[in-house]
């Protein structure tokens, strides 16, 4: 089996030459007469340039086929092979990676498993983020969770910068929030997921994840790019970690934002996350508050769904974008809102209700123009954030 990678080179770069450098230099390399007796074996490890073209803007695309035997069925060795040393050699960007279906790690739960845990099968899921991000006590977290959970929220997560800090240690946050989750379950029959941010040094992080799950965590949040794809894979394949893993895109801009260097967002947040073991992946939506290419967003969506991974468009999501989001995603999407829920003019509970009002209004095919909206949470949200 082989792995195909598309590299894009800007005008002025000899793409044919550079592709050959990558194909050889990122695989077996060169050899001399001393290894003539090993030539057949050495050649079996070489990459091969299998295609190329130039687009109307003068950018060149080269496709290289790599032997799957060169890597270890994980994302870390894959990245080392396809772009490791060469990433420092000049202008080039990895814009697509095509992996065999069996490569890497499948999600433990994914779309179907998360829906089963929540017993919600016929609509998008609504997710919130604890705000303020830092400075809240464990009791503050529990109070916020209680308000939004009783309003109908499906999932809440820690902010990605919230670690195991003195103001609200991870176990204390979990203990306080777990009481609310149990209360909501008892009172309403509904399950609410709380994605706890799992952090720590390499020798402690997996151990901490085990502890969190034993203490009742029903979801985990991982900053995959700062802690590493190997950590994601370890969590995803660990039988004791029987909860969904939400992958956060922190640091992705440093790897992906340049047009001529790095790796495309659709590769990092789509292909690699989908084959790395994530159950749900957060990434910017193009109608949010971060600049993002709609075509890249769709490629991420499709890569994730191809392996039953939940897409989670984020960053500036509010009730006014629900029509656009449902047009782009249909029902298999998690709408993730921070300020879009927590900064609702009336209350966080009203922020949650506004999303559900928006979902119902789309279902009924009704307008989102402010003058057509009845008084209530959705109208107040649209007056604050508008419609996209």
């Amino acid at each position: 089996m082989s792995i195909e990678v598309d590299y894009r080179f800007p005008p002025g770069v000899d793409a044919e030459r550079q592709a050959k450098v990558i194909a050889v230099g990122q695989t077996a390399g060169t050899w001399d007469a001393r290894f003539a007796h090993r030539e057949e074996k050495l050649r079996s490890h070489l990459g091969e340039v299998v295609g190329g073209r130039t687009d109307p803007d003068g950018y060149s695309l080269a496709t290289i086929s790599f032997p799957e035997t060169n890597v270890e069925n994980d994302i870390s060795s894959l990245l080392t092979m396809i772009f490791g040393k060469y990433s420092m050699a000049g202008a080039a960007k990895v814009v697509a990676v095509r992996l065999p279906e069996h490569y890497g790690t499948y999600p433990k739960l994914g779309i179907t498993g998360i829906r089963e845990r929540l017993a919600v099968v016929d609509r998008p899921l609504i997710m919130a983020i604890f705000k303020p991000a830092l400075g809240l006590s464990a009791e503050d977290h529990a109070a916020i969770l209680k308000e939004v959970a009783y309003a109908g929220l499906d999932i809440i997560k820690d902010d990605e910068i919230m670690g195991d800090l003195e103001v609200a240690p991870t176990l204390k946050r979990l203990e306080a929030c777990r009481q609310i989750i149990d209360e909501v379950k008892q009172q309403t029959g509904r399950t609410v997921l709380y994605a706890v941010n799992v952090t720590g040094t390499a020798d402690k992080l997996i151990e901490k994840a085990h502890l969190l799950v034993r203490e009742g965590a029903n979801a985990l949040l991982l900053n995959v790019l700062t802690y590493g794809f190997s950590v994601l894979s370890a969590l995803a394949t660990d039988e004791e970690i029987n909860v969904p893993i939400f992958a956060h895109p922190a640091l992705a801009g440093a790897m992906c934002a340049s047009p001529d260097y790095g790796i495309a967002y659709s590769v990092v947040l789509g292909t690699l996350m989908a084959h790395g073991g994530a159950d749900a992946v957060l990434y910017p939506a193009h109608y949010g508050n971060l600049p993002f290419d709609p075509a890249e967003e769709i490629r991420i969506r499709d890569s994730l769904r191809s392996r039953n991974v939940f897409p989670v468009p984020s960053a500036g999501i509010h009730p006014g974008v629900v029509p656009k989001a449902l047009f782009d995603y249909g029902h298999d999407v998690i709408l993730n809102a921070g300020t879009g829920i927590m900064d609702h003019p009336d209350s966080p509970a009203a922020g949650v209700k506004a999303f559900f009002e928006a979902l119902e209004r789309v279902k009924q095919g009704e307008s989102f123009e402010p003058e057509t909206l009845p008084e209530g949470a959705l109208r107040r949200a649209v007056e604050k954030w508008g419609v996209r």
Side-chain angles (χ1 to χ4, degrees):
M1 298 291 288
S2 63
I3 294 166
E4 285 194 352
V5 181
D6 293 341
Y7 299 83
R8 188 178 67 206
F9 302 93
V13 174
D14 186 338
E16 182 178 357
R17 177 182 182 279
Q18 292 306 100
K20 290 178 180 178
V21 169
I22 296 171
V24 175
Q26 292 296 131
T27 58
T30 58
W31 59 87
D32 58 23
R34 292 174 300 160
F35 297 102
H37 65 291
R38 299 286 295 168
E39 184 161 343
E40 182 178 350
K41 188 65 175 178
L42 293 169
R43 286 193 181 280
S44 72
H45 288 279
L46 279 175
E48 180 184 4
V49 181
V50 295
R53 62 181 175 81
T54 301
D55 68 19
D57 296 323
Y59 278 79
S60 297
L61 193 76
T63 300
I64 299 175
S65 176
F66 293 91
E68 188 184 347
T69 55
N70 289 7
V71 286
E72 300 177 31
N73 197 45
D74 67 347
I75 304 303
S76 299
S77 64
L78 174 76
L79 285 169
T80 304
M81 176 179 71
I82 67 174
F83 212 42
K85 177 178 61 180
Y86 187 82
S87 67
M88 298 176 279
K93 185 161 187 171
V94 173
V95 294
V97 177
R98 291 176 289 281
L99 296 169
E101 180 63 26
H102 63 264
Y103 194 91
T105 304
Y106 279 99
K108 192 167 291 180
L109 295 167
I111 296 172
T112 53
I114 290 173
R115 286 197 177 281
E116 287 172 3
R117 295 272 170 107
L118 293 171
V120 177
V121 299
D122 59 352
R123 62 166 173 81
L125 302 180
I126 307 300
M127 181 176 183
I129 309 166
F130 284 113
K131 297 290 182 181
L134 297 175
L136 299 176
S137 68
E139 292 73 22
D140 292 332
H141 283 81
I144 292 170
L145 176 56
K146 185 171 186 174
E147 181 176 357
V148 294
Y150 276 106
L153 189 74
D154 299 304
I155 308 164
I156 196 165
K157 77 172 189 70
D158 286 333
D159 193 275
E160 72 277 4
I161 62 173
M162 183 61 178
D164 199 351
L165 306 180
E166 184 178 352
V167 65
T170 304
L171 279 174
K172 287 190 177 296
R173 295 199 312 276
L174 173 60
E175 180 184 9
C177 290
R178 186 68 217 191
Q179 293 177 23
I180 303 302
I181 290 170
D182 292 344
E183 177 188 309
V184 170
K185 182 70 172 179
Q186 184 177 30
Q187 295 292 325
T188 71
R190 295 179 53 252
T191 296
V192 179
L193 297 181
Y194 167 30
V196 186
N197 194 22
V198 59
T199 59
T201 56
D203 58 330
K204 299 289 177 61
L205 191 146
I206 305 300
E207 178 185 330
K208 183 183 287 186
H210 287 163
L211 175 60
L212 291 172
V213 172
R214 286 197 300 270
E215 292 297 317
N218 60 11
L220 297 176
L221 177 72
L222 179 68
N223 295 313
V224 175
L225 302 180
T226 55
Y227 286 95
F229 278 100
S230 61
V231 173
L232 171 61
S233 177
L235 292 173
T237 56
D238 192 316
E239 293 183 359
E240 293 185 38
I241 310 298
N242 60 347
V243 301
I245 302 166
F246 288 76
H248 196 278
L251 202 67
M255 302 174 67
C256 308
S258 170
D260 296 336
Y261 295 83
I263 308 174
Y265 281 112
S266 56
V267 174
V268 173
L269 302 179
T271 306
L272 301 186
M273 293 290 188
H275 287 260
D279 294 286
V281 179
L282 286 68
Y283 54 89
H286 73 274
Y287 31 76
N289 57 20
L290 296 176
F292 210 69
D293 179 3
E296 280 287 89
E297 182 179 348
I298 294 305
R299 283 191 282 269
I300 293 170
R301 178 201 68 187
D302 292 346
S303 291
L304 297 178
R305 283 182 174 168
S306 73
R307 289 174 68 84
N308 191 39
V309 180
F310 242 132
V312 190
S314 306
I317 299 297
H318 56 76
V321 307
V322 168
K324 176 62 174 170
L326 265 62
F327 179 82
D328 288 343
Y329 286 89
H331 283 167
D332 277 336
V333 63
I334 299 175
L335 299 175
N336 176 39
T339 57
I341 286 176
M342 297 301 172
D343 284 1
H344 188 280
D346 297 333
S347 68
V352 175
K353 291 175 182 177
F355 272 95
F356 283 104
E357 288 181 23
L359 292 177
E360 183 60 26
R361 201 161 181 88
V362 171
K363 183 177 179 181
Q364 299 300 327
E366 297 175 335
S367 170
F368 270 61
E369 293 303 316
E371 61 272 14
T372 71
L373 297 173
E375 286 295 332
L378 178 57
R379 180 163 186 162
R380 294 276 281 158
V382 167
E383 288 171 348
K384 179 179 177 68
W385 290 295
V387 179
R388 292 189 186 179

